[in-house]
Amino acid sequence: MAEFSIITNYFANRGVNRKDVILGIGDDCAITTLAEQKELVITTDTLVAGVHFPKDTPARAIAHKAVAVNVSDLAAMGAEPGWLSLAITLPEQNEQWLEEFSAGLFELADYFNMQVIGGDTTQGPLSITITAQGMVPQGTAMRRDGASNGDWIYVTGHVGDAAAGLELVQGKIDVPEKYRSYLTNRLHYPSPRVLAGQTLRGIASAGIDVSDGLLSDLKHILNRSGVGAKLNLESLPLSEALIESVSEEDALRYALCGGDDYELIFTVPEAKKGSMDTALSSTGVSATCIGQITASEDKLDLMLNGEVLEDSFAGFEHFKGR
Ligand code: ADP
Ligand code: MG
């Protein structure tokens, strides 16, 4: 495969040029500067065809998602996006596929003012690995380990849509015509909550993005912070599309156990709730209070209309198992 022509034609000299990039694509490494008083925040995620996305996913959507999942990790730390590298393994040199893929990649990279500064191109089964780097003012990153007893638990946007979208494209469920493109787009074109993440720095005590599912991702906050939680399931923010498309039980199952929403879960001490409302309203992102952190380490109570539904994470199998 003509590796160099792929790099030159589709990935080099494209997109934004950031002032802090000293040397971009073309040498053995890229070189960037980092402003004083800032810390570097780094993340990597791989998407494998047939594992992380269905094989027939449009190239533009694969690229969008590959960038979005990485940017969502930056958002979950409260970081400002900076640079990204792309390691791509391609089964063949398909010009149209590459055209669409690079269009999707640079569309999102440009939107977040990220420069593509390097990568690797190899032949094999389709797989995309992106490394994204961002920055935060020293000591301000939003981590998983800061939640305390009494903090309120919030989630941005709506949860469960992407999981319903996946079952829809897999032909496992059918939904009313008018909700099809909304749910599919929530799966293929997630919107990382970058501004919300940045604005929550210094306000949220802990944060994480929803990639594996609300419960398993919340569990990471609980583990790392040494706390428990009580969730009010009737408060979960479900979209109209989800409510109108599936049963109440399925909607809860998607919202709790489905992944790929790329919303943010974060915890806020009572004393910071006011600042949180003010900060978030300036970003236009909604956040819903879904429960509260408790002192009982690693214990999760799921409440529905005031009654304890399930105790401990084993109870999720009830939702997950179907
Ligand atoms: P090396 O062999 O020194 O690792 P390569 O020949 O793999 O370098 O790549 C040449 C240049 O092109 C490097 O700057 C590399 O970062 C960049 N590059 C390679 N593949 C990609 C890609 N898919 N997207 C963006 N940049 C790439
Ligand atoms: Mg080299």
Side-chain angles (χ1 to χ4, degrees), residues 139-272:
T140 65
M142 186 160 67
R143 299 160 49 140
R144 297 178 180 182
D145 57 6
S148 304
N149 185 19
D151 289 356
W152 297 100
I153 304 168
Y154 284 83
V155 65
T156 58
H158 295 114
V159 279
D161 291 338
L166 179 62
E167 299 214 333
L168 177 63
V169 303
Q170 289 174 334
K172 291 185 183 165
I173 60 169
D174 197 14
V175 307
E177 167 75 40
K178 63 175 172 173
Y179 296 125
R180 268 179 214 156
S181 63
Y182 169 83
L183 291 171
T184 317
N185 284 341
R186 288 275 289 161
L187 172 71
H188 286 331
Y189 300 100
S191 322
R193 301 302 193 180
V194 170
L195 279 183
Q198 287 178 53
T199 206
L200 287 167
R201 284 196 313 248
I203 294 173
S205 49
I208 191 170
D209 64 325
V210 184
S211 52
D212 294 337
L214 189 144
L215 292 181
S216 55
D217 291 319
L218 174 63
K219 191 179 174 194
H220 293 307
I221 290 187
L222 304 186
N223 284 340
R224 296 295 297 270
S225 302
V227 293
K230 195 176 267 192
L231 285 191
N232 304 315
L233 301 192
E234 70 279 7
S235 306
L236 287 172
L238 307 179
S239 68
E240 177 192 304
L242 189 63
I243 292 170
E244 298 288 320
S245 297
V246 300
S247 69
E248 192 188 344
E249 165 131 354
D250 280 346
L252 279 181
R253 179 169 61 89
Y254 292 133
L256 293 173
C257 304
D260 279 352
D261 286 316
Y262 298 100
E263 298 292 349
L264 296 180
I265 306 173
F266 57 95
T267 58
V268 180
E270 172 72 26
K272 299 246 168 104

Side-chain angles (χ1 to χ4, degrees), residues 3-4 7 11 25-28 86 88 116 118-121:
E3 178 192 339
F4 291 107
I7 300 168
F11 301 116
I25 291 175
D27 211 313
D28 293 314
L86 165 73
I88 186 163
V116 179
D120 197 21
T121 307

Side-chain angles (χ1 to χ4, degrees), residues 73-96:
D73 281 330
L74 293 178
M77 304 299 286
E80 178 195 325
W83 317 292
L84 66 82
S85 313
L86 165 73
I88 186 163
T89 305
L90 295 163
E92 55 176 352
Q93 183 164 351
N94 177 331
E95 305 290 328
Q96 197 197 333

